[in-house]
């Protein structure tokens, strides 16, 4: 299959590489220089514009940072929409606005093509291991068409709903839970450490109880060892929580703890640390306690 893949960042590159390794002909537009090594070795074809990619491909996948980026690539000058013909499939795997996603889907459908939103969770590690969780919104027929491709990039693949934007809503819910878990682990470790306990031993003890979690395992260790090199940047989590709060306002839903987490992320970002890993949220609580977990 000829697959257009636009957005060869930290996660997009290994995702595209898995498709190429499976024998698909993967092409992209010239939005990254140089081409990642694994894709260059796979003979990935580079075209000049997203429109050219859409003309050449049967399926077009986008994996971009934010809503305006997807809008520009799909509908801007020389965008994907200019190269579409009836019957093609557009898959957006970015994490963006559910409301905007509904509009994008309507425009793509009007061109006689299918559109599904399929944001992912699992970070760079999951992208490299092809173990991503993929949350999908769109028609079941389009999902079945895309599923063999998803299976090359992820393990937990769910059609959340046939309404466009359902995948994005699920991803926002995921990011809310992750943020609150990070905050809970950070709060507990700051509390235990300031009380005079060894935070590493507290973490080890908690890993054997009901409080055990993947966040405690991975991010708890990051907090103790001060390893905030980004796996998932604070500024990206801020973007996701902003989408949550925007959608919640439209729905008339209160998200008090999501709001608190966003404020803590903002506190750390205001110190110029927006590109650190989201486990760095602990630094906001450390500042409030005048105590560093270590």
């Amino acid at each position: 299959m000829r697959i257009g893949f636009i957005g060869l960042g930290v996660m997009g590159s290994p995702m595209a590489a898995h498709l190429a390794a499976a024998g698909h002909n993967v092409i992209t537009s010239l939005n990254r220089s140089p081409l990642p090594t694994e894709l260059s070795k796979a003979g990935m074809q580079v075209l000049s514009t997203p429109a050219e990619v859409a003309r050449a491909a049967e399926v077009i996948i986008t994996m971009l940072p934010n809503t305006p980026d997807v809008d520009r690539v799909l509908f801007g000058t020389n965008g994907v929409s200019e190269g579409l013909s009836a019957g093609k499939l557009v898959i957006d795997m970015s994490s963006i606005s559910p409301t905007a996603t509904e509009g994008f889907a309507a425009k793509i459908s009007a061109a006689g093509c299918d559109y599904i939103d399929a944001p992912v969770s699992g970070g760079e590690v999951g992208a490299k291991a092809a173990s991503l969780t993929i949350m999908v919104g769109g028609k079941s027929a389009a999902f079945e068409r895309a599923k063999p491709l998803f299976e090359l990039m992820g393990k937990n693949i769910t059609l959340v709903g046939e309404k466009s934007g359902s995948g994005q809503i699920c991803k926002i819910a995921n990011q809310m839970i992750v943020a609150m878990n990070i905050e809970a682990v950070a709060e507990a470790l700051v509390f235990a450490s300031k009380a005079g306990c060894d935070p590493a031993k507290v973490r080890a003890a908690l890993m054997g109880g009901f409080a055990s979690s993947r966040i405690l395992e991975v991010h708890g260790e990051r907090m103790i060892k001060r390893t905030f090199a980004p796996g998932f940047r604070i500024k990206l989590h801020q973007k996701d929580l902003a989408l949550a709060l925007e959608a919640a306002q439209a729905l008339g839903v209160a998200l008090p703890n999501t709001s608190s987490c966003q404020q803590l992320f903002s506190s750390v970002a205001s110190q110029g640390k927006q590109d650190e890993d989201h486990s760095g949220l602990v630094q906001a609580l450390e500042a409030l306690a005048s105590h560093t977990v270590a």
Side-chain angles (χ1 to χ4, degrees):
M1 185 179 292
R2 288 179 64 79
I3 302 170
F5 200 111
I6 301 173
L8 301 176
V10 170
M11 294 182 65
S13 291
M15 291 164 69
H18 292 312
L19 296 173
H24 293 291
N25 185 355
V26 184
I27 57 180
T28 191
S29 59
L30 193 60
N31 67 337
R32 182 183 176 94
S33 182
L35 196 65
T37 302
E38 67 272 25
L39 295 175
S40 180
K41 288 181 178 178
M44 187 177 199
Q45 184 181 4
V46 181
L47 302 179
S48 297
T49 67
E52 290 184 23
V53 171
R55 289 188 192 98
E58 303 164 59
V59 176
I60 302 93
I61 298 173
T62 53
M63 183 64 179
L64 299 163
N66 211 337
T67 307
D69 302 299
V70 178
D71 192 4
R72 173 181 51 80
V73 166
L74 291 181
F75 306 109
T77 303
N78 293 316
V80 166
S81 61
E82 294 183 17
L84 290 177
S85 55
K88 296 193 176 186
L89 172 63
V90 178
I91 305 171
D92 179 35
M93 303 189 77
S94 319
S95 296
I96 65 168
S97 163
T99 302
T101 293
E102 288 187 60
F104 297 164
K107 290 181 181 179
I108 297 299
S109 295
C113 299
D114 288 322
Y115 183 98
I116 54 179
D117 52 292
V120 303
S121 179
E124 182 180 3
V125 172
K128 288 181 175 179
S131 61
L132 293 169
T133 290
I134 305 176
M135 300 156 263
V136 186
K139 299 299 182 183
S140 57
F143 170 72
E144 292 300 328
R145 184 178 171 189
K147 192 175 180 181
L149 302 181
F150 292 151
E151 289 172 340
L152 297 173
M153 298 181 280
K155 299 296 184 187
N156 182 19
I157 303 159
T158 306
L159 177 60
V160 177
E162 294 210 0
K163 180 182 177 181
S164 293
S166 297
Q168 298 296 350
I169 290 291
C170 187
K171 175 59 187 291
I172 287 172
N174 178 86
Q175 296 303 82
M176 291 164 59
I177 292 169
V178 170
M180 285 183 262
N181 278 338
I182 291 173
E183 194 281 335
V185 168
E187 197 167 304
L189 291 179
V190 169
F191 163 75
S193 180
K194 189 156 188 179
C197 294
D198 181 339
K201 291 182 179 179
V202 169
R203 172 182 164 277
L206 294 176
M207 283 299 297
F210 202 51
S212 178
S213 69
R214 184 68 172 157
I215 296 294
L216 178 62
E217 178 188 359
V218 177
H219 288 347
E221 183 176 41
R222 283 175 174 266
M223 294 172 193
I224 294 166
K225 293 185 175 180
R226 323 306 291 172
T227 51
F228 299 133
F232 187 76
R233 289 176 170 79
I234 285 173
K235 66 182 181 184
L236 293 178
H237 213 141
Q238 284 183 293
K239 179 261 293 183
D240 291 337
L241 296 190
L243 292 173
L245 295 169
E246 177 187 6
Q249 184 175 11
L251 292 168
V253 175
L255 302 179
N257 291 322
T258 300
S259 298
S260 295
C261 289
Q262 183 73 311
Q263 291 301 314
L264 293 171
F265 277 133
S266 294
S267 174
V268 179
S270 70
Q271 301 172 45
K273 298 178 179 180
Q274 65 273 11
D275 286 315
E276 289 189 352
D277 186 77
H278 53 173
S279 60
L281 176 148
V282 70
Q283 295 167 97
L285 294 167
E286 290 172 335
L288 291 172
S290 298
H291 177 82
T292 301
V293 173

